[in-house]
Amino acid sequence: MHPTSTAGASIEIEGLVQRFAANTVLDHIDIRLEPGRVLALLGPSGCGKTTLLKALAGLDRPVAGRIAIDGVTVSGDGVFLPPEKRGLGMVFQDYALWPHMTVGGNVSFPLEVRGVDRRERASRVAHALELVGLGGFGSRQPGSLSGGQQQRVALARAIVARPRVLLFDEPLSNLDRDLRETLCAEIGRLLRDLGTTAVYVTHDHEEAFTLADTVAVMRGGRIRQMAAPDALIHEPGTADVAEFLKLGALSRAERTERGWRLDCGVELVGPAAGSAGAPGPGHLLIPPAALRAGTGETLRGLVIAQRYRGGQYATTVRVGAAGQALELALLTDVRMPIQQAVALDVDWSRLRWFPLAA
Ligand SMILES: Nc1ncnc2c1ncn2[C@@H]1O[C@H](COP(=O)(O)OP(=O)(O)OP(=O)(O)O)[C@@H](O)[C@H]1O
C-alpha cells in the first residue's frame, strides 16, 4: 500500500477554555501529541469532546488558551485560523456526503478547491478509494451505498488531500456492531499506514482502545487521565476512570488491618492485602482477571448469568448479603448452571485500591 500522506503534524493544546454563557464546557485542557500519533477523546455525553474537536478544527473560537499545529499557533495569542487554513481532514458521524455528486465527485472536491489538475485528481481519487476498499466505486451515487460504504467515502474524502491531521467525530456510531468493529480496525490500520496524526472522538471505550496510542478520558470539561490504553487498564488513576472504563466490579469498602470489608458484607482477607496502605474508606476495583473459579475459601457466591464469548464464558457471580449484594465478573472455561455455588480465588496483585483520603 502506498501512503497517501507522508507524515503527521504535532499538536499542542495549552490551557484551553471554552464557555457557553455561564457554562464552562472545557476547563483548562492541556494536550501534547507527537506527529503520527492517534489520540482518542473518550467520555460520556456532554463532557466536552466535540467542543474540543471543534476548537481544534477552527469551527469554534475558544475563550482562552492556545492551540499549535506543528509548532504554528492556529488559535490563541490573538490568532484564529479558519478550518481551511489548518491542513485538516475531518470525518463526521453523519457522513456529510453531497448527494447530488458521484462518489468520485465527493472525494475529488477537496482537490478541486485546492486547484489540483484533472489528471492528478483522477489518480489521487482512485488511490484514496482503493485505500478505503472502494476501488471502482467512483461513478456510483452515495445514496446507492450502505452506511458503512458511505462512511468509507467520507474517509477517502478526508485523506485525499493528504492532511497532516485527521479529526474524527464519532464516525462509527450510526453503524451496526459488526461493521463498527471491522471499520474501527481498518481505520486504525489506515492511520498507521498513512502516518497521519489523528484525534478521534468517541464514547465507546472499545473503539478508543482499538485505535488509539493515547486515550484522554474526559469528564465535566476536564481530562481525568491521559495515557496509553494498557496503562489505563492496569493503572486507572481514580475510581471514576475505572468505573467509566468498566474495568471490573467497583465496591465501596473499608480498608482494615487484614484486608478489605466490602459494602456487601464480604470480608476479603489475603496475603498481599497488607501492602495496600492505611486503614480507611475508599473504593476497591476487582477486575475479571483478578478472579478465577477455584476451591478457595476467600470468596463464595452464586452464578447468576453466563454469556459465551470467544471460547470462554463471561460469568457473573453474586456475592454478599441479600439486598446489598455485589456482582463480580470473571471468565470461565466451563458452562455452569445458574444459581450454582462457586468459590473464587483472588489474584491480589490485580486488585486496585482507591482510598477516599487520597
Ligand atoms: N454552541 C453551543 N452553545 C451552548 N452550549 C453548547 C454549545 N456547544 C456545546 N454546548 C454544550 O457543551 C456541553 C458539551 O457538549 P459537547 O458536544 O462538546 O459534548 P460531547 O462530549 O461531545 O457529547 P456527545 O457525546 O453527546 O456529543 C454540553 O452541555 C452542550 O450542551
Side-chain angles (χ1 to χ4, degrees), residues 42-131:
L42 176 67
S45 185
C47 72
K49 307 179 294 290
T50 298
T51 304
L52 178 51
L53 202 72
K54 281 183 170 171
L56 198 47
L59 296 170
D60 265 343
R61 190 175 192 140
V63 300
R66 194 177 81 94
I67 301 172
I69 297 177
D70 242 2
V72 175
T73 299
V74 296
S75 177
D77 301 337
V79 174
F80 185 75
L81 293 190
E84 63 275 14
K85 296 270 170 58
R86 297 190 181 198
L88 310 166
M90 294 184 228
V91 184
F92 302 100
Q93 177 176 345
D94 60 2
Y95 324 140
L97 300 177
W98 294 291
H100 58 283
M101 286 186 191
T102 61
V103 164
N106 268 275
V107 177
S108 179
F109 190 74
L111 301 178
E112 286 173 38
V113 172
R114 286 168 175 79
V116 176
D117 75 52
R118 180 187 287 263
R119 185 189 298 232
E120 169 87 10
R121 278 201 319 259
S123 104
R124 279 168 65 176
V125 167
H127 181 49
L129 285 172
E130 286 288 337
L131 282 177

Side-chain angles (χ1 to χ4, degrees), residues 25 278 299 340:
V25 173
L299 207 47
Q340 177 177 310

Side-chain angles (χ1 to χ4, degrees), residues 39-340:
L39 170 72
L41 302 177
L42 176 67
S45 185
C47 72
K49 307 179 294 290
T50 298
T51 304
L52 178 51
L53 202 72
K54 281 183 170 171
L56 198 47
L59 296 170
D60 265 343
R61 190 175 192 140
V63 300
R66 194 177 81 94
I67 301 172
I69 297 177
D70 242 2
V72 175
T73 299
V74 296
S75 177
D77 301 337
V79 174
F80 185 75
L81 293 190
E84 63 275 14
K85 296 270 170 58
R86 297 190 181 198
L88 310 166
M90 294 184 228
V91 184
F92 302 100
Q93 177 176 345
D94 60 2
Y95 324 140
L97 300 177
W98 294 291
H100 58 283
M101 286 186 191
T102 61
V103 164
N106 268 275
V107 177
S108 179
F109 190 74
L111 301 178
E112 286 173 38
V113 172
R114 286 168 175 79
V116 176
D117 75 52
R118 180 187 287 263
R119 185 189 298 232
E120 169 87 10
R121 278 201 319 259
S123 104
R124 279 168 65 176
V125 167
H127 181 49
L129 285 172
E130 286 288 337
L131 282 177
V132 300
L134 288 182
F137 277 66
S139 56
R140 296 274 293 267
Q141 294 296 319
S144 73
L145 303 182
S146 68
Q149 288 169 330
Q150 291 189 45
Q151 198 52 301
R152 286 170 199 266
V153 176
L155 186 57
R157 185 179 57 185
I159 62 176
V160 75
R162 302 174 184 166
R164 303 189 68 199
V165 175
L166 276 169
L167 304 180
F168 294 86
D169 194 359
E170 308 245 16
L172 306 180
S173 56
N174 282 341
L175 306 174
D176 68 39
R177 183 194 163 106
D178 281 355
L179 198 52
R180 262 199 330 259
E181 285 182 5
T182 313
L183 253 182
C184 181
E186 284 182 23
I187 291 174
R189 258 197 312 275
L190 186 64
L191 289 174
R192 276 169 188 80
D193 286 343
L194 297 176
T196 317
T197 308
V199 180
Y200 188 103
V201 163
T202 180
H203 61 267
D204 179 326
H205 52 280
E206 289 180 15
E207 258 175 50
F209 284 22
T210 301
L211 268 163
D213 304 298
T214 306
V215 177
V217 180
M218 291 182 66
R219 193 156 180 172
R222 292 188 177 186
I223 293 179
R224 296 302 168 112
Q225 191 173 359
M226 184 158 59
D230 280 2
L232 279 171
I233 293 166
H234 299 298
E235 299 287 330
T238 62
D240 263 10
V241 169
E243 184 177 34
F244 177 69
L245 296 178
K246 300 191 180 85
L247 295 178
L250 194 66
S251 172
R252 282 185 65 91
E254 189 74 25
R255 178 85 181 92
T256 65
E257 297 296 337
R258 300 171 350 124
W260 290 276
R261 193 176 319 106
L262 307 185
D263 260 15
C264 64
V266 167
E267 186 115 27
L268 272 183
V269 178
S275 59
H283 290 91
L284 185 68
L285 173 68
I286 310 175
L291 299 173
R292 217 157 45 88
T295 52
E297 290 295 315
T298 315
L299 207 47
R300 292 184 160 274
L302 291 180
V303 173
I304 59 162
Q306 270 198 318
R307 188 166 45 86
Y308 178 78
R309 185 125 205 219
Q312 286 192 300
Y313 293 93
T315 304
T316 309
V317 173
R318 182 175 288 159
V319 299
Q324 52 186 148
L326 175 68
E327 291 185 1
L328 299 174
L330 70 150
L331 292 172
T332 61
D333 292 331
V334 292
R335 192 166 168 82
M336 296 183 217
I338 302 301
Q339 294 298 324
Q340 177 177 310

Side-chain angles (χ1 to χ4, degrees), residues 332-353:
T332 61
D333 292 331
V334 292
R335 192 166 168 82
M336 296 183 217
I338 302 301
Q339 294 298 324
Q340 177 177 310
V342 61
L344 301 174
D345 292 332
V346 178
D347 178 347
W348 301 93
S349 68
R350 292 186 182 259
L351 302 181
R352 295 278 307 164
W353 175 234

